[in-house]
Amino acid sequence: MITIKSEAELDSMRCAGKIVANVLKELEKIIRPGITTKELDEFAEEYIIKNGGIPSFKGLYGYPASICTSVNDEVVHGIPSMRRLESGDIISIDVGVCVDGLHADAARTFAVGEISETAKLLIKTTEESFFEGIKNAVAGKRVGDISNSIQRYVESRGFSVVRDLVGHGIGRKFHESPQVPNFGKAGVGIRLIKNMTLAIEPMVNEGTFRVYTAEDGWTVKTLDGKLSAHYENTIVITEGLPEIITL
């Protein structure tokens, strides 16, 4: 069921979104060659709790950590571990925070040390595709208008959008309706309504869009072993351009 949020609910989501945005900024400062993804998770969990939030991911569907740390060919849902980051890696970090029973969700892809020009372009394209998509995240438009604009932008730059994973509604439940694919036809799907809240999250691959789930049952990886990037924000639909609550 699609939920339209009250102003009180939106205020709680904004509080959660501020924590999400800030923890991602703080994580960016400490990402360096040699740090482990477990250390990043521990830092994020402590920061979230200290600032009045609850990590949304911990225990969600049985997930064992507070953030997702997906490195290089890992698309999403990478589990923090003793893996040490190396110069040249890219790492996608996904963070969810709950305040007053309401959630906010965002992801960024960061460079570790010096990275390739291809990796830089992939990260840039993924972020830019989000902003292309939300030009159509306006009351009266349809979900497919967002999806189509993301896909067209990504493919025009020679990359591919993942088909097996999509964005989603968000609020009192972390995953709500509607699904928001990063591909598809314009003019189709649910019509957008003011105060609908969505997590828009392009997942963009260097090579094929095809992916698979690793043996840990969580980590999604590119089928060809090439790089993947992830960029996400939680937005509120308005009569004009959407409000981004995780920036």
Side-chain angles (χ1 to χ4, degrees):
M1 183 177 75
I2 297 171
T3 61
I4 306 303
K5 308 306 185 294
S6 68
E7 285 304 318
E9 288 174 320
L10 289 176
D11 284 342
S12 293
M13 291 185 70
R14 290 181 183 108
C15 289
K18 183 176 181 180
I19 298 171
V20 170
N22 287 339
V23 74
L24 283 165
K25 290 173 185 175
E26 293 303 314
L27 285 166
E28 184 174 18
K29 294 175 184 177
I30 66 170
I31 289 172
R32 64 184 186 277
I35 197 167
T36 68
T37 55
K38 187 174 189 296
E39 288 173 313
L40 297 176
D41 180 64
E42 291 170 347
F43 176 91
E45 181 172 324
E46 181 179 352
Y47 185 96
I48 291 166
I49 293 170
K50 181 180 178 181
N51 285 276
I54 299 170
S56 298
F57 294 168
K58 197 161 192 178
L60 182 67
Y61 312 126
Y63 186 73
S66 291
I67 63 174
C68 299
T69 53
S70 306
V71 182
N72 295 333
D73 64 332
E74 297 173 352
V75 182
V76 288
H77 306 160
I79 300 173
S81 68
M82 296 307 296
R83 176 178 185 170
R84 294 191 181 277
L85 298 180
E86 299 179 2
S87 184
D89 287 342
I90 64 172
I91 179 169
S92 299
I93 297 182
D94 198 351
V95 178
V97 171
C98 183
V99 171
D100 299 330
L102 288 129
H103 300 272
D105 183 20
R108 305 283 185 269
T109 301
F110 302 111
V112 183
E114 289 297 318
I115 63 173
S116 69
E117 292 302 315
T118 297
K120 290 177 185 177
L121 182 59
L122 177 66
I123 292 171
K124 184 171 184 284
T125 298
T126 306
E127 179 175 348
E128 290 175 345
S129 73
F130 166 85
F131 288 99
E132 284 297 311
I134 66 167
K135 289 177 182 177
N136 287 298
V138 177
K141 293 267 194 175
R142 293 186 180 273
V143 165
D145 298 323
I146 301 172
S147 307
N148 181 257
S149 56
I150 291 172
Q151 181 180 10
R152 286 190 294 106
Y153 188 84
V154 167
E155 292 179 351
S156 73
R157 279 147 182 79
F159 299 116
S160 65
V161 289
V162 173
R163 307 294 202 273
D164 291 10
L165 301 152
V166 297
H168 53 93
I170 186 169
R172 291 202 174 273
K173 293 182 179 179
F174 192 80
H175 292 111
E176 297 183 348
S177 294
Q179 291 190 339
V180 186
N182 299 303
F183 60 94
K185 295 182 179 180
V188 301
I190 296 294
R191 193 174 296 280
L192 303 175
I193 300 170
K194 184 180 178 183
N195 287 4
M196 185 183 288
T197 47
L198 304 173
I200 310 296
E201 51 178 320
M203 290 157 274
V204 179
N205 292 350
E206 176 189 359
T208 179
F209 65 82
R210 299 187 186 281
V211 299
Y212 71 98
T213 302
E215 290 182 1
D216 63 16
W218 283 102
T219 309
V220 178
K221 305 179 75 172
T222 60
L223 189 62
D224 57 10
K226 293 185 177 181
L227 297 175
S228 185
H230 186 197
Y231 187 88
E232 176 184 23
N233 282 302
T234 299
I235 66 167
V236 181
I237 300 298
T238 72
E239 298 293 348
L241 290 177
E243 176 188 358
I244 305 172
I245 65 171
T246 48
L247 274 181

